[in-house]
Amino acid sequence: MSTPDPERTQAEADADAVRHRAILKVLTGLLLGMFVSMLATTVVSSSLPIILADLHGGQTAFTWVVTATLLTTAVSTPIWGKLADLVNRKLLLQLAITIFIVASASAGFAEGAGWLIAMRAVQGIGAGGLGALTQIVMADIVSPRERGRYMGLFGGVMALATVGGPLLGGVVTDAISWRWNFFIAVPLAVVALVMIQRTLHLPPLPKRVVKIDYLGIVLLAASVSTLLIWVTLVGKDFDWISATSAYMVLGSVLGLVLFVAVELRHSEPLLPLHLFRNRTFSWSVVGSLAVGVAMFGTSVFLSQYMQLARGASATQSGLMTIPMMVGLLGASAVIGRRITASGRWKGYLVGGAIALTVGLLAMGSIEYDTPFVLVSVYMFVLGAGVGIVMQNLVLVVQNDVAPRDLGVASSGVTFFRSVGGTVGVSVLGAVLGDKVVSHMGEKKAELGQAIASLGEQGRSVAEALHNGTIPSVSSLPGPVREIVESVYGQSVADIFLYAAPLGLLSLIAVAMLPNKALGTQTRHERQTSQDEESAATRVAQAAEAVAAQTGPEHPGDGRDHHQ
């Protein structure tokens, strides 16, 4: 039995350390770009009332400032992913950052709500590119087996942007001006652009004819945009059963049918349908839809729970969701390292899906007066489930698809997660409104007594509640406040119970994933190996063809029959 060579072992360790530092240097620019794109979405959330009051925008403008970014981010994600399989990924990444910088600066100079909404939409295009391309470039520089150790960094960036964005936005608005919510991202994006230019060096893609699926892009963008606009506005601007709903839903379905027809015929489809024959991709899409609702929905409804059921301010509600972000970051980092060390991932993802389901069920039991320590534990479990499943679904897809489809497959999973989150939040939000009305009706007599006990003050409180405009919960009189908090606490808990089956769906999807070993090659190394194998196969086939053609003329006796 041979003993390991200490010098060789030390040399391998030194080489690994050098490679690790080089990867971290490259990832710094990527992570900064990703942080800036997420920060742009979250930083304005606490300042929107002030922004729109200054720009004379109404409730519709309030909705569209948020929706425009989410919409263009979701729609542009698969487009960026497909382009990453066709043209220079570094150039695309720089283009996405440039679009983001220009849109952010322009939004900061807005003089009206319309211009702000338009620039937020352009911001979303850049953000979609940054979100998709960072994952794709990761596959270019890090093998699937190694990638787990870096996943915690992505989780940390997401947690920091989600929690820190609203806090930073509030501070900047109060100290300087709301316009700096947009300007503050510009220097960070410029730094990211410079770092990527200096540190990111990617191998060239294999040469292939570049054919852009323009019709597919138009059909997908129009269909998905119509669908997302419908789920955002239905129940508020028009009824679920109405002519407007029928036109939008039928138009979206027709557009998607035409999109499928185009994709089946195009030589370079925007979303290759053959990917859905891959079990890993198909089940990851299902899991991503469920995780999207959990990730986006919980952030929205947790904020409402903290403010309307526990009387917290906007800033306080952001701080109170930190346990969930700690769970997301901690689980993503720890499990990522375990996956890299062991090479096993299936058990961890199943555990993450179980944690996600348990977290949703536990959050479904909360009340307005549930001890906050217990709520924090529930949030931590939920965040851990999201952190384990979300990033690693992209990892297993990148590990299983062909190198030529890696970009569009990665962005496809992200796209369906965004769509699932947007649709889920809108639908669950409508359910929340119905639940509030229902639970308020159940407490009608109790609420009437509480209002009556207030005397003359009770009239203004009753009018506000009747009009649906709930004042700041912390400013409500004690008896009324307790009832309103209990109604919202119970209603938000109902929403988590409605979402719990989606956690179970993610568990089923993860369980159905083929348990394939993680590869030890980057995208370029895999492509090179496949090209070499294909060349060797062609040589062998040519040799067999030559042998088959010459066989009848040259029997195996070694004599020359043409003498």
Side-chain angles (χ1 to χ4, degrees), residues 65-377:
V65 168
V66 177
T67 303
T69 306
L70 295 175
L71 181 65
T72 52
T73 298
V75 171
S76 65
T77 295
I79 299 172
W80 287 107
K82 181 59 183 180
L83 291 175
D85 288 330
L86 298 174
V87 298
N88 188 300
R89 283 96 64 216
K90 180 177 178 178
L91 182 61
L92 287 175
L93 197 56
Q94 292 170 321
L95 176 61
I97 294 176
T98 302
I99 290 173
F100 183 85
I101 291 172
V102 172
S104 295
S106 299
F109 288 112
E111 295 296 334
W115 180 259
L116 178 62
I117 292 169
M119 290 303 100
R120 289 281 289 173
V122 178
Q123 256 189 336
I125 296 174
L130 288 168
L133 293 167
T134 48
Q135 297 285 346
I136 296 167
V137 171
M138 271 282 285
D140 282 316
I141 61 178
V142 185
S143 70
R145 175 68 181 268
E146 292 181 295
R147 213 168 298 155
R149 70 193 293 192
Y150 302 105
M151 285 300 181
L153 297 175
F154 285 88
V157 165
M158 294 179 63
L160 182 61
T162 302
V163 176
L167 298 177
L168 179 63
V171 171
V172 167
T173 300
D174 292 339
I176 311 175
S177 165
W178 63 261
R179 297 185 184 277
W180 279 92
N181 283 314
F182 303 101
F183 295 150
I184 200 169
V186 174
L188 294 175
V190 172
V191 172
L193 189 65
V194 172
M195 292 187 68
I196 288 171
Q197 175 61 31
R198 296 184 61 180
T199 63
L200 183 60
H201 306 288
L202 299 175
L205 290 169
K207 291 184 179 180
R208 57 199 278 193
V209 177
V210 177
K211 293 183 178 179
I212 306 299
D213 183 10
Y214 294 107
L215 183 56
I217 290 173
V218 171
L219 288 171
L220 181 68
S223 304
V224 174
S225 298
T226 303
L227 178 64
L228 295 181
I229 291 170
W230 175 70
V231 298
T232 301
L233 302 181
V234 69
K236 297 187 287 288
D237 290 24
F238 48 84
D239 293 332
W240 288 86
I241 301 176
S242 62
T244 303
S245 285
Y247 292 145
M248 296 184 77
V249 172
L250 290 176
S252 180
V253 171
L254 178 60
L256 290 174
V257 170
L258 293 174
F259 172 72
V260 170
V262 170
E263 299 304 276
L264 289 172
R265 293 175 175 271
H266 203 280
S267 59
E268 286 289 355
L270 178 64
L271 183 62
L273 299 182
H274 69 78
L275 287 174
F276 290 96
R277 293 198 293 268
N278 183 310
R279 280 182 56 200
T280 299
F281 179 78
S282 296
W283 285 111
S284 293
V285 164
V286 174
S288 292
L289 286 168
V291 172
V293 177
M295 184 178 73
F296 293 108
T298 50
S299 62
V300 172
F301 299 123
L302 272 178
S303 177
Q304 289 190 307
Y305 170 76
M306 298 304 177
Q307 294 182 44
L308 299 176
R310 303 194 79 100
S313 66
T315 302
Q316 289 171 338
S317 68
L319 293 172
M320 292 168 78
T321 59
I322 285 179
M324 181 176 171
M325 296 306 155
V326 170
L328 191 154
L329 170 59
S332 178
V334 172
I335 299 304
R337 287 186 173 275
R338 292 300 308 150
I339 289 174
T340 294
S342 65
R344 295 188 294 270
W345 58 268
K346 185 72 176 281
Y348 294 117
L349 259 70
V350 170
I354 292 173
L356 174 62
T357 307
V358 170
L360 288 170
L361 287 171
M363 290 298 295
S365 68
I366 59 176
E367 299 283 351
Y368 75 101
D369 56 355
T370 301
F372 187 71
V373 172
L374 196 57
V375 176
S376 298
V377 172

